[in-house]
Amino acid sequence: MSKNGKILTPLIENDCNLLENYKKFKGYEAAKKALKMSQDEVIEEVQKSNLRGLGGAGFPTGRKWAFIPKNSQKPVYLVINCDESEPGTFKDKYIVSSATHVLIEGIIIASYAIGAHTCYIYIRGEYVEPARRIEAAIKEAYDAGILGKKVLGTDFNLDVYVHRGAGAYICGEETALLNSLEGKKGWPRMKPPFPAIEGLFRCPTIVNNVETIAYVPPIIQNGPKWFADMGTERSGGMRFYGISGNVNKPGIYELPVGTPLREMIYEHAGGIPGGKALKCVVPGGVSAPPLRPDEIDVPMDPDALAKIGTMIGSAGIIVMDEDTNLVEMLMASIRFYHHESCAQCTPCREGTGWLDKILQRMLSGGARERDIDDLYEIGDSIFGNTICPLGDSAGMVAKGYIDKFRGEFEAYLSKSIAAKSANSPELKKAS
Amino acid sequence: MPTITIDGKELTVEKGKTIIQAADEAGIDIPRYCYHPGLSIVGQCRICLVEVEKMPKLQVACYTPVMDGMVVHTQSERARKGRKDVLEFLLVNHPIDCPVCDQAGECFLQDYYMKFGLYDSKMLEDKNKKSKAVPIGKHIVLDSERCILCTRCIRFCDEVSKTNELGIFHRGDHAELLPYPGKTVDNPYSVNVVDICPVGALTEKDFRFRTRVWYLDETNSVCTGCSTGCNIEVHTNKKREYKNEGRRVTRLKPRFNKDVNEYWICDEGRYSFTYVDAADRLGVVMKRVKGELQESTWAEVMPEVLTALQSAKENNKRIAVLGSPKMTNEDLFALKKFASQTLGVSQMPVTVLPKEKPFSDDFLIREDKNPNTKGAGYLGYDTDHKATRKLLDDCASGGVELLIIFHHDLEAGFETELVKSALSGAKTVVFVGSNANTTSARATYILPSCTYVEKEGTFTNFAGRVQKINRAIEPLGDSLPEWTIIRNLSRKIGKALAYFEAEDVFKDLTKNTAAFSGMSYSAIGDGGLVAEENGKLKQGDAKAAAQKTETATA
């Protein structure tokens, strides 16, 4: 650990995609320690650390692992979700590219804890270089006796495979990911059964985000209390925040869970260029409903954000200054969902396209009086009625922007309608 | 067994069932597009949203398993709004071209709009364009714009026909149902996808633009395409006859029977009805005059046939009868009774096996392309092909004076030489059948008989299940049911058969044939009853049949 208390950042900065570099950071010591513990002890340590899933949903990791049925007759799988595609999110890319071995070490510990002997890393297709690096690191690990038969000299066997996605956001949803991994269309599955009971190839499966698994070795190494103490009461440790948009220093920042959003924007990211005023912040990737400037004193903690009607998601913060047209921003978000909707269930398939069409029309000068109400109603009709959270997100986002910035939407609408009437030949003739 | 409440109605439901299944059993209507009881459950159309107490979100009734104490509301404001919203979404890119759509009148979108929708659309945008009128198989046309992507057809091809031709391509509202590259939907069961398509996306080439469905009448019947005896509905168009190019039967649709065909029929069976109004259909009594077949009448021909029978009997010449497994149990029983009592015929073959083995599989399509071979066996006919050959040999060697043949095209199963010499060996050949063939062309008399859609009766399928057929249309021209022809003969010669309707024959049959004892038309109902060689009904079968009749009428 480096002097400023960061955990994974030093690994990224020191090219720990290479085994020799990772060895300098006590590489694979945590795995050796874990392999001497019992499986339940490992799960308990992770539970005590308050590590929560860092991919978006924020489910307690140890508790998820404990869902794997004991003494299952079927093989158990570990699947690493590296289909990082949420707009505003770009943290996993750095971990798999430059802290690759800590991910592999985490995989060993997690696989041991849940009794898996096969792990698949599902990486988004566009991540070409990260995929190449992780393949190389896995090869290094196999050659060094870290993976394969007799992991680190113990009786534990583990094979790790990299599977590259074909470019669908929906495959980041864990059950769609499993379908895609099985060679099927990337459509989310109905739940229950949850993957821990019936996942990959209908066998018990744990799907974890890259970052989540990367924090496992330090937790085992330093103990759960050390990690838990860094975070908030119910969410332990540190995490990566990706900050983008109108800030002076966009990038990824590893900071404790619960760091206030204001501090994130104005201290770590260096504030807004040109000293402009803040208009809107998305706290956790485009799927998180936006916040107004008066709401940014919230700590970046799953529970605190949920309380004010948004979510931490993947902690991808998007900052928008006073010049941003939020109708455009909403359109960009909705266009994304429209493009990525998998087409399986009706409200999302038809609703996202419909929202997109209305927004496109509004932005090309064809706004109508009732558009805002329509957007809101359609968003509301999608929300809660779909198989997976993609539809929910689209609905939440449409509703979120209108709830928080209705005035701005109305102003845009009246300006646009006025311009339309001014340009209408019929009206000109009449006047 | 869990007890649940749906709309205030308390129900005890088998564990593992889902809400929609429980509701179906209780007669509570929950709308559905993707859910089909014969396919896996995917929960993706979302039209079956219901409110379940203590659950924050609306739940899909098709997928949510029942749990003890569950309280479900299908008519609450939230549930109604949920369904209305889903319906509105489904229609966002739907062309709403009902006036030119063949599905109109039996379309779930129309039905549910009237039931749950009835809103003014707020959709003002241009609709997405997709492919129209794509022939995706020999019998099927796809209109992608009408498709609601419920995947019923895909699941049918994956799970039932197991041929995997269809998939959904692209994403979001650009997604489209299409066959996989290089594939067409041409499996032996392909048209079932049209039946289960809840909208007008998949239509049947044969039915397209033929008639509006509200002009159709439905009659329960049994497919005669093979010995499986799939349950069907015969759809006839008596109200707008001119709409059907002279065809009185418009289409056949499968009818649910869990013990026979479940929800499906094969394509071969579906189009097997065409002989009913085919060009070779026999609708006129005919007799041979100076070597030529000429149109005649029952009044002229019956006395001549009777005279021929009488003279053969009096001169102790042999009369031979070749029945057909295409005849109903009633026809076969009347024939057997008349032939053995009055004509002194003891050996009665029925089977002519085709020269080439026909297609069959391990699902619904059987090698025996006759609906009633099993019944013929129960009624004492010899169902061995060799018995028919022996009969022909006897005819060829001049041992038979008068030969009565039902339906068979002998050349389909025997060498032309043998058939020729057999038919010329007998002095008189009486052909009774519905359609002309090479055998009828050599007959002395042709007595036209009804097809299965023009008469009442029963068939016994390969498994011994006795099933009822009903009259959907009037007999063509002079044609009569076979048992009526036999009855009419019996009135002038020997002991008259006192039958006035098919049921009279069946009553007599059950009294005299062990396998059918205890059966009646009402007990057979819509589901059928299993006959047993030892004459006992399978345990619980009668009860099950009675129940099924109830549910069918419900």
Side-chain angles (χ1 to χ4, degrees), chain B residues 128-411:
Chain B
N128 289 352
K129 294 268 184 284
K130 289 182 187 172
S131 24
K132 309 273 288 178
V134 191
I136 58 165
K138 200 173 141 204
H139 302 297
I140 308 165
V141 179
L142 164 71
D143 184 318
S144 265
E145 289 183 355
R146 292 178 191 156
C147 177
I148 57 164
L149 300 166
C150 71
T151 71
R152 275 186 179 187
C153 52
I154 299 179
R155 282 174 283 143
F156 177 85
C157 292
D158 290 351
E159 297 162 14
V160 183
S161 72
K162 299 191 171 73
T163 43
N164 312 83
E165 295 100 338
L166 288 167
I168 285 179
F169 295 80
H170 316 303
R171 287 193 310 223
D173 56 5
H174 298 288
E176 223 177 298
L177 167 82
L178 285 170
Y180 288 111
K183 283 209 172 190
T184 52
V185 188
D186 280 326
N187 65 67
Y189 298 90
S190 68
V191 189
N192 287 294
V193 300
V194 175
D195 299 335
I196 59 176
C197 180
V199 299
L202 297 174
T203 47
E204 206 183 323
K205 271 187 198 165
D206 187 64
F207 181 70
R208 266 167 81 85
F209 309 125
R210 215 175 249 293
T211 183
R212 307 300 334 210
V213 298
W214 48 85
Y215 295 136
L216 297 177
D217 292 308
E218 292 146 22
T219 310
N220 288 352
S221 189
V222 173
C223 178
T224 55
C226 79
S227 60
T228 303
C230 292
N231 290 207
I232 54 167
E233 273 177 11
V234 179
H235 289 192
T236 48
N237 179 4
K238 288 183 258 191
K239 299 184 184 97
R240 294 288 189 282
E241 278 175 34
Y242 55 89
K243 290 230 180 230
N244 207 13
E245 293 160 11
R247 234 171 68 179
R248 293 171 302 158
V249 177
T250 311
R251 61 179 183 184
L252 304 185
K253 285 277 181 190
R255 179 165 58 89
F256 175 72
N257 187 329
K258 86 173 174 10
D259 299 312
V260 185
N261 54 316
E262 294 194 325
Y263 304 90
W264 325 115
I265 53 172
C266 70
D267 293 356
E268 191 186 325
R270 185 185 300 267
Y271 298 114
S272 64
F273 68 86
T274 45
Y275 69 88
V276 172
D277 284 318
D280 64 5
R281 180 66 202 278
L282 297 169
V284 186
V285 184
M286 297 182 105
K287 70 172 196 178
R288 196 167 290 279
V289 181
K290 291 178 194 153
E292 293 287 319
L293 277 169
Q294 283 184 0
E295 290 192 2
S296 180
T297 60
W298 285 112
E300 189 186 346
V301 165
M302 283 299 262
E304 291 182 19
V305 172
L306 281 165
T307 313
L309 285 170
Q310 205 85 47
S311 88
K313 259 185 83 174
E314 278 160 15
N315 300 324
N316 284 324
K317 293 278 171 64
R318 193 176 152 198
I319 298 168
V321 175
L322 174 58
S324 163
K326 293 196 190 310
M327 295 156 76
T328 61
N329 292 318
E330 289 76 357
D331 297 331
L332 288 167
F333 179 78
L335 175 62
K336 185 91 196 314
K337 193 167 181 178
F338 176 65
S340 55
Q341 279 184 358
T342 306
L343 307 180
V345 178
S346 54
Q347 283 298 309
M348 299 198 49
V350 283
T351 302
V352 174
L353 289 182
K355 286 169 189 159
E356 272 178 41
K357 222 176 176 184
F359 175 79
S360 63
D361 62 18
D362 54 4
F363 183 34
L364 294 177
I365 304 172
R366 291 212 148 58
E367 202 181 305
D368 178 6
K369 298 298 173 195
N370 299 295
N372 206 22
T373 306
K374 190 83 174 179
Y378 284 145
L379 291 164
Y381 285 81
D382 191 337
T383 56
D384 193 339
H385 179 74
K386 285 184 204 129
T388 312
R389 178 176 287 278
K390 190 172 170 296
L391 184 143
L392 295 183
D393 285 340
D394 290 352
C395 293
S397 59
V400 174
E401 168 97 349
L402 191 151
L403 172 65
I404 307 175
I405 302 174
F406 286 82
H407 294 286
H408 287 296
D409 181 2
L410 294 171
E411 282 191 34

Side-chain angles (χ1 to χ4, degrees), chain B residues 355-537:
Chain B
K355 286 169 189 159
E356 272 178 41
K357 222 176 176 184
F359 175 79
S360 63
D361 62 18
D362 54 4
F363 183 34
L364 294 177
I365 304 172
R366 291 212 148 58
E367 202 181 305
D368 178 6
K369 298 298 173 195
N370 299 295
N372 206 22
T373 306
K374 190 83 174 179
Y378 284 145
L379 291 164
Y381 285 81
D382 191 337
T383 56
D384 193 339
H385 179 74
K386 285 184 204 129
T388 312
R389 178 176 287 278
K390 190 172 170 296
L391 184 143
L392 295 183
D393 285 340
D394 290 352
C395 293
S397 59
V400 174
E401 168 97 349
L402 191 151
L403 172 65
I404 307 175
I405 302 174
F406 286 82
H407 294 286
H408 287 296
D409 181 2
L410 294 171
E411 282 191 34
F414 298 97
E415 311 79 49
T416 313
E417 279 315 304
L418 172 64
V419 175
K420 268 188 189 162
S421 54
L423 293 177
S424 51
K427 194 177 152 207
T428 310
V429 176
V430 180
F431 180 87
V432 187
S434 59
N435 291 69
N437 56 38
T438 57
T439 305
S440 67
R442 296 199 184 96
T444 324
Y445 298 102
I446 295 179
L447 310 182
S449 69
C450 292
T451 57
Y452 74 115
V453 291
E454 296 160 330
K455 64 180 182 185
E456 207 181 14
T458 55
F459 287 124
T460 311
N461 83 346
F462 77 101
R465 179 169 291 271
V466 182
Q467 306 188 103
K468 181 108 194 324
I469 58 166
N470 297 295
R471 182 157 143 172
I473 48 176
E474 303 284 308
L476 183 80
D478 292 344
S479 68
L480 292 170
E482 291 91 324
W483 68 263
T484 312
I485 300 171
I486 295 154
R487 191 254 340 250
N488 291 351
L489 286 171
S490 80
R491 281 178 174 166
K492 303 282 192 249
I493 178 171
K495 198 174 171 226
L497 299 170
Y499 304 142
F500 296 94
E501 53 190 20
E503 194 166 4
D504 299 336
V505 191
F506 193 75
K507 277 179 187 157
D508 195 12
L509 182 163
T510 53
K511 273 182 227 143
N512 292 295
T513 317
F516 298 91
S517 79
M519 289 188 184
S520 68
Y521 274 6
S522 66
I524 290 169
D526 284 328
L529 285 179
V530 176
E532 290 280 292
E533 320 266 351
N534 62 12
K536 273 190 186 156
L537 290 180

